[in-house]
Amino acid sequence: MENSKQMRTWLDDMKLDHPLVIAGPCSAETEEQVLKIAHQLKDTDVNYYRAGIWKPRTRPGMFEGVGALGLKWLQKVKAETGMKTCTEVANAAHVKLALEHDVDLLWIGARSTVSPFIMQEIADALGETDKIVLVKNPVNPDLALWLGGIERLKTAGVKNLGAIHRGFSTYEKTKYRNIPEWQLAIEFQNRFPDLPLINDPSHITGNREMIFDVCQTALDLNFDGLMIETHFDPENAWSDAAQQVTPEKLVQIMRDLKIRKESDPEAEYNSDLSNLRAQIDVVDTQLIEMLGKRMKISDGIGALKKQKNVAVLQSNRWNQILGAMILEGESKGLSEEFVLKMFKAIHQESINHQEKVINS
Ligand code: PEP
Ligand code: MN
């Protein structure tokens, strides 16, 4: 397949028989909380224990993390449970402290990836580290910023890289906290096919009820792992309470997910097929979104025509659109017959929308 991995990476070296799992609370709150969750996750599929200690909060006055003190708690986690640990770093001082305290995996948050200055500062501080470093996508849907962040770390000499897809913020209200824009993650995979790519359903959904479905889509799209915020008392978490799951729920999610292995030809066929189907689902959702947008514009035109008392059907304009779209369709391998049929249906729906506005 186009995005099958060629080069061996830190993830291949782990020889896992399931996707990589990073889990733990959004924030380290107290030593007891950090240790309790770690003990609950110790004998599960979790590979890395996460806890944010420096928390980038959108508004001041919210809990901004326990700071460097939390690094001692993560060291205790490692000593008591043997789990590898990870946390977010957002500047050179964080990097220095995290490396000094032997954190195994560092991730760069979405609010840092947007800033080339910060990314460069972090890259310089990391230098030729052997630690695993994962770059979250920037908050805005800008692939170049994400790629640029990876390139800065590569150039600085970071050896064990990967990326985290955590969705993108949008002005429009959606069912997600951060819309997945899966096509951007697919594009990212095409640009860096050998880089492990982890999905973060917690920050995409903002809602624990939707986490399973996003995990399944991610696995169907060949993601290499999942980062899932986990807390023994999600409702009372000090940050991101709505999106955290309990350790029990995490285990259940991992058990229920269809994880496709690529070991035998039949499994490979099924995995390729579900990957392509997941890509089709992404495009179909976009088609519906675009059609919805088009109809909203039609409503606007309807309102204008109503003001001026103009007829809904303007044949000249319609013929122009059809001619242009048949040509455009040809260049994309679409038959004239199909383009005509599709635009007739779109046009009819558009007229219905305008009629509704004019007669309202
Ligand atoms: C987090 O992982 O807790 C976090 C702050 O994530 P993001 O950078 O994706 O918002
Ligand atoms: Mn969080």
Side-chain angles (χ1 to χ4, degrees):
M1 290 225 24
E2 201 179 347
N3 49 22
S4 68
K5 321 244 173 216
Q6 303 290 325
M7 267 169 44
R8 284 190 72 77
T9 67
W10 55 272
L11 188 55
D12 302 312
D13 293 340
M14 289 177 71
K15 295 194 169 54
L16 298 176
D17 62 357
H18 59 79
L20 181 85
V21 185
I22 302 173
C26 176
S27 300
E29 298 165 4
T30 65
E31 181 172 340
E32 294 68 37
Q33 173 248 15
V34 167
L35 286 167
K36 183 171 169 184
I37 301 169
H39 278 281
Q40 289 173 322
L41 294 177
K42 177 167 86 101
D43 296 318
T44 66
D45 278 348
V46 174
N47 305 106
Y48 282 87
Y49 183 74
R50 67 154 281 157
I53 58 177
W54 296 289
K55 298 303 299 176
R57 306 312 299 276
T58 304
R59 307 283 299 272
M62 297 161 101
F63 174 59
E64 293 193 328
V66 295
L69 176 63
L71 292 168
K72 304 260 183 255
W73 305 344
L74 287 178
Q75 280 182 309
K76 262 200 167 169
V77 165
K78 207 183 320 198
E80 286 188 19
T81 69
M83 288 175 104
K84 293 200 154 100
T85 58
C86 57
T87 200
E88 173 175 347
V89 290
N91 60 37
H94 294 167
V95 170
K96 186 164 178 289
L97 281 164
L99 294 180
E100 278 168 12
H101 288 79
D102 205 25
V103 174
D104 300 288
L105 180 158
L106 292 74
W107 84 81
I108 293 157
R111 293 163 192 76
S112 301
T113 314
V114 284
S115 164
F117 286 135
I118 285 290
M119 279 309 299
Q120 193 57 50
E121 176 181 328
I122 294 173
D124 292 340
L126 285 165
E128 297 185 357
T129 184
D130 291 325
K131 300 285 184 190
I132 297 164
V133 183
L134 305 181
V135 182
K136 285 200 172 195
N137 66 254
V139 280
N140 54 325
D142 185 334
L143 183 63
L145 272 177
W146 198 6
L147 300 173
I150 298 279
E151 284 156 1
R152 283 177 202 279
L153 298 181
K154 267 194 176 190
T155 306
V158 177
K159 297 180 201 75
N160 295 311
L161 275 171
I164 303 175
H165 169 234
R166 51 78 78 194
F168 303 88
S169 66
T170 143
Y171 179 69
E172 287 167 45
K173 248 199 132 20
T174 74
K175 66 176 177 172
Y176 297 107
R177 177 178 176 194
N178 293 291
I179 50 169
E181 301 276 24
W182 292 105
Q183 77 285 358
L184 271 177
I186 293 167
E187 186 58 29
F188 183 92
Q189 277 179 323
N190 289 337
R191 301 291 271 275
F192 283 118
D194 296 319
L195 225 54
L197 180 60
I198 315 299
N199 184 259
D200 173 346
S202 310
H203 290 89
I204 288 178
T205 62
N207 171 355
R208 62 185 136 268
E209 301 307 323
M210 293 159 65
I211 285 181
F212 179 85
D213 287 348
V214 169
C215 288
Q216 189 62 65
T217 301
L219 296 187
D220 292 343
L221 288 170
N222 283 351
F223 276 65
D224 301 288
L226 302 164
M227 181 193 250
I228 304 181
E229 290 188 336
T230 311
H231 193 297
F232 56 79
D233 185 9
E235 280 94 20
N236 292 306
W238 296 5
S239 59
D240 289 351
Q243 69 192 34
Q244 305 204 53
V245 296
T246 59
E248 297 76 38
K249 179 77 187 164
L250 177 79
V251 168
Q252 195 196 328
I253 289 174
M254 293 314 298
R255 201 171 39 225
D256 293 347
L257 282 171
K258 285 197 208 73
I259 297 164
R260 295 169 179 99
K261 294 185 191 135
E262 292 184 32
S263 48
D264 69 272
E266 189 59 23
E268 192 162 335
Y269 159 79
N270 282 327
S271 150
D272 289 354
L273 188 66
S274 50
N275 175 273
L276 291 172
R277 283 185 172 152
Q279 292 194 40
I280 292 252
D281 290 348
V282 169
V283 175
D284 283 349
T285 309
Q286 284 175 320
L287 281 175
I288 291 290
E289 253 167 42
M290 295 308 288
L291 288 171
K293 271 194 190 148
R294 193 190 191 283
M295 294 311 152
K296 279 226 168 71
I297 299 174
S298 287
D299 291 343
I301 294 181
L304 266 182
K305 287 180 180 168
K306 182 178 182 175
Q307 262 179 26
K308 295 287 172 211
N309 203 19
V310 175
V312 165
L313 185 63
Q314 304 280 319
S315 307
N316 284 352
R317 163 83 181 139
W318 169 231
N319 288 332
Q320 265 172 18
I321 295 182
L322 262 190
M325 287 304 109
I326 286 171
L327 280 180
E328 192 74 28
E330 241 169 44
S331 75
K332 301 273 186 283
L334 305 174
S335 70
E336 178 171 342
E337 188 196 357
F338 170 68
V339 174
L340 268 175
K341 255 194 209 155
M342 178 177 64
F343 268 92
K344 270 194 186 143
I346 292 176
H347 189 232
Q348 187 57 54
E349 181 73 5
S350 211
I351 288 178
N352 295 349
H353 269 251
Q354 292 190 27
E355 290 279 357
K356 215 167 158 187
V357 173
I358 286 185
N359 296 320
S360 63

